[in-house]
Every structure is written in C-alpha cells, then in structure tokens.
Amino acid sequence: DSDLSMRTVSTPSPALILPPRSSPGVLNGSSTSSSTFGTETIAMVHTPPTSLTHPQRSLRQPRDQQGAPIDILPDHAFLQIFTHLPTNQLCRCARVCRRWYNLAWDPRLWRTIRLMGDVLHVDRALRVLTRRLCQDTPNVCLTLEMVVVSGCRRLTDRGLYTVAQCCPELRRLEVAGCYNVSNEAVFEVVSRCPNLEHLDVSGCSKVTCISLTRDVSVKLSPLHGQQISIRYLDMTDCFALEDEGLHTIAAHCTQLTHLYLRRCVRLTDEGLRFLVIYCPSVRELSVSDCRFISDFGLREIAKLEGRLRYLSIAHCGRITDVGVRYIAKYCNRLRYLNARGCEGLTDHGIEHLAKNCLKLKSLDIGKCPSVSDAGLEQLALNSYNLKRLSLKSCESITGRGLQVVAANCFDLQLLNVQDCDMPLEALRFVKRHCKRCVIEHTNPAFF
C-alpha cells in the first residue's frame, strides 16, 4: 500500500518539504522506490485518501476502537487547529483521511505558504502547491496573500515566476537569504502582484533594484507606471545596490514607509537625496554600516521632518554632531535613534537631540568615546520618556552620569553598560530608582 502507487495531480506530499532519505524505503519486507533521489527533495502529489482503513486491518479492531476520539471534534475546531500548522504539516494532515483532506485544503487555511530548509527543492514545491490551490480557480490562487521562503537557498527565478503568475492577490513576500534570486524575477512579482505591500529581499546579493518590467511600464501611462504599492522594503546586505538603483526604487515605490538598507556599502549621500524627493512618507529608515553616508546625507534625511520615527545610522563613521543637529532640529517626533559607533558624535550632539526630540524612547550611543557625563545630564533633564538606553563601551561615562539618568528617567526599562567601568554603587542606584529596568553589564559583583 505504498503512497508511491497513487501519483496523481491532487495533493502535495510532505516530501516537498521533508529532507531526503539516505536510502530507499522498505515497506512490508519489500524494497520500494524512495520518494527522493540522491540529495534532492522532489515534489510528489497524491490522491485524496479514502475514509476507511485497509479492510483486513479494520476487521481485527474491536468496534469500540474503530473511531478515534479526535473524530468527534467539529470541523471548525479542526480548522482552528490547522491554522497553527506550517505548510509541510498541513500537507501531512491532508493524507490522513478524506475528512482531513477536505479540511486541510480549505481555502481559508491557504492565505500563507511558509517553506524553510536548504535541501528543499523550493521551486518545485511552489509549483505543485500553487497548482493544487488553482484547482477551483484555474491558473490563479485568489486566496494566497503571503509567501515566506526565507533561507531557502535553492530558490531561483523559476520559483518567483511561479508566484508571480499564480498569485495576483499577494501582499507579502519574504525571500531573505535566497541569493540566487535576480532583478528580473523580482520585477515580475512586483509587476504582476499590484497589491504587494511587504517585500523582504535581504541577503539577495543579485538584487540591485526594484521596478516594473519593461512591458508593464510601456502599457501604463507615466503616472501609473510609478505606482508600486510596496510600503515595507528590506534590502539589508544587498551589497550591489548603488545610488542609481536607489533612485529607481524611490521613483517607483513612492508609498514607502519602512526602508532598511543595512550594509548596502555602495550607497552615498546622493542616493538619500533621491529617496527624500520621491518618498516623503518614510517613517523608518536604516542606513547602518553604509560607510559613505555623511552629515550631508543626514541633512537630506532631515527633510522628512516630523514623519520620521525611526533612524539607524550605526557605524557610519563620517557622521558628526553637525548631521545629528539637522535631525534633532527638523525630526522632532523621532522615537528611536541608533548611533552606535558614530565616533564623531559628542556631548554637543546629544544636547541638541535631548532638547529637541522630547519624545525619544530608545537611544543607542554605544562605542561613542566622546560622549561623557555632560551629555547624559542633558539627556536626563529633557528625555523623560526614555525607555531604552545603550552606553556600551562608552569610555568617558562614569557612575555620576548614570545616577543622573536613573534619578530622572523613571520609566527606563533597559540599560546597557557592558564594557563600561561602572562602580557597583552606581548600578545599585539605578536598580533602586528604576525598578523595572533590566541592566546589561559586565560587573561580576553586581547581580
């Protein structure tokens, strides 16, 4: 009764997702063909299982044990349970019995496909799954809104072409770490999925731009040709992204509110100028580890004014108090700032920040050797809403500055003073005044 004897175009097998077996399977004492060959996981589909077990086996069971206790659950209870299962386990459930098959393929359970694993042949898995989901609506998966295949290194452009062709209602796509994906496939998804709002291509080193395909751009008017609905874009570790690519992204994705460009090391201040011109609604922006970003870039970012809530400029070595002063003056609604490793930042920059950004809740100024107790005093006297503060490896900070912060920022919830020469008395003072504060430290005498 091997499953291999029932190959049809009906139900995707868990073999789509499970790692390959090292040797052929053995069933009932006889060797059968394995569902995997070599080290490749293949896509395999099956017919709906019958509701009865094998006739000979059912005769051996007492009548009072033929029905499993779980069978008494109503359909809505099963559906609620199935909503918590990942894609591969949902495929397993579809093979238990006919009732489970019908429930497991309820369209309400297939708003998301989530696949993971290096050995998974993800291109084939996506093709088989979308084919099954398209049975009621030929060639189109109207229910599928989210596809997550992060970490599936075997994903190629073929898999994304399948998603683009079959999933017009897609709203969220995550392909982080899939370094075989290229611009062309991303363009295809963006062009065919007009409702796409969330795109994560972090770690996709071949992706250098986000745009519509040429065919779609020609069909649309110049006004509509720029209307891509993406609001959240993560291009962390897209090392090949340059200013020209960011210019194209900004010109097409004018509705961006969240943009993460961590370690896009080729970007300069010029790219940020284009971003601000075309995307005035950006609320969260990260340019951490972009070594060519300087104070001129922060002057451009400051043009976002009160809309900017989150900014990360960590390890941007060319940034000084001048750039931070622009941010403090114009972005007075800033809630989060990460300036770790900005060695040009001093007490003067912290003072401007404290006096202008009164709603600041999280600040990371670790590894800023020029920030001292004087800067902390200004922060403590003005930033009453501060909840998270990192001073890791700040050589000029002493226990006195820490006590001033604790005496004024009662709502502090996290304080990082690792690799700081902090006396035990100062840490105890913080603990007494900020009772809910978690202190991260390297003082073995304090616990």
Side-chain angles (χ1 to χ4, degrees), residues 289-351:
D289 296 282
C290 297
R291 60 176 180 266
F292 295 123
I293 301 298
S294 69
D295 293 334
F296 293 102
L298 286 194
R299 183 179 64 180
E300 297 298 326
I301 294 174
K303 294 177 182 178
L304 295 172
E305 298 181 342
R307 294 177 291 276
L308 190 65
R309 299 289 195 275
Y310 170 108
L311 177 63
S312 179
I313 51 175
H315 304 291
C316 294
R318 300 188 179 191
I319 289 177
T320 68
D321 291 338
V322 176
V324 173
R325 195 177 305 162
Y326 280 116
I327 297 296
K329 182 177 181 180
Y330 295 103
C331 304
N332 55 4
R333 295 186 179 180
L334 195 68
R335 303 287 198 278
Y336 173 99
L337 177 64
N338 183 357
R340 175 176 294 194
C342 295
E343 297 183 357
L345 183 62
T346 71
D347 293 334
H348 296 292
I350 298 299
E351 180 180 358

Side-chain angles (χ1 to χ4, degrees), residues 40 70 82 122 143 156-157 180 200-201 213 224 236 252 278 345 429 437:
E40 179 179 321
I70 197 172
F82 286 171
V122 65
T143 60
T156 67
D157 288 352
N180 290 316
D200 184 352
V201 292
T213 60
H224 290 87
T236 298
H252 286 81
Y278 292 105
L345 183 62
F429 185 89
C437 183

Side-chain angles (χ1 to χ4, degrees), residues 387-421:
K387 296 183 182 298
R388 302 169 68 91
L389 177 63
S390 177
L391 305 170
K392 182 177 181 179
S393 302
C394 286
E395 304 168 355
S396 302
I397 300 294
T398 68
R400 183 175 66 85
L402 206 62
Q403 290 177 352
V404 173
V405 171
N408 291 273
C409 302
F410 302 109
D411 294 331
L412 201 63
Q413 297 177 2
L414 178 64
L415 176 65
N416 187 343
V417 289
Q418 293 177 336
D419 302 319
C420 295
D421 188 16

Side-chain angles (χ1 to χ4, degrees), residues 200-220:
D200 184 352
V201 292
S202 56
C204 300
S205 55
K206 294 182 180 179
V207 177
T208 61
C209 188
I210 306 294
S211 177
L212 295 170
T213 60
R214 182 174 300 178
D215 293 340
V216 174
S217 297
V218 170
K219 293 178 183 178
L220 296 175

Side-chain angles (χ1 to χ4, degrees), residues 346-358 363 372-384 386 401 404-405 408-409:
T346 71
D347 293 334
H348 296 292
I350 298 299
E351 180 180 358
H352 283 280
L353 195 66
K355 290 182 176 179
N356 291 278
C357 300
L358 301 180
L363 177 63
S372 68
D373 292 343
L376 286 190
E377 289 177 4
Q378 292 297 326
L379 195 65
L381 295 175
N382 296 278
S383 301
Y384 301 112
L386 198 64
V404 173
V405 171
N408 291 273
C409 302

Side-chain angles (χ1 to χ4, degrees), residues 14 49 82 85 88-97 100-101 104:
F82 286 171
L85 297 181
N88 63 326
Q89 297 299 330
L90 203 54
C91 289
R92 282 183 177 274
C93 291
R95 301 174 63 194
V96 172
C97 64
W100 282 35
Y101 172 85

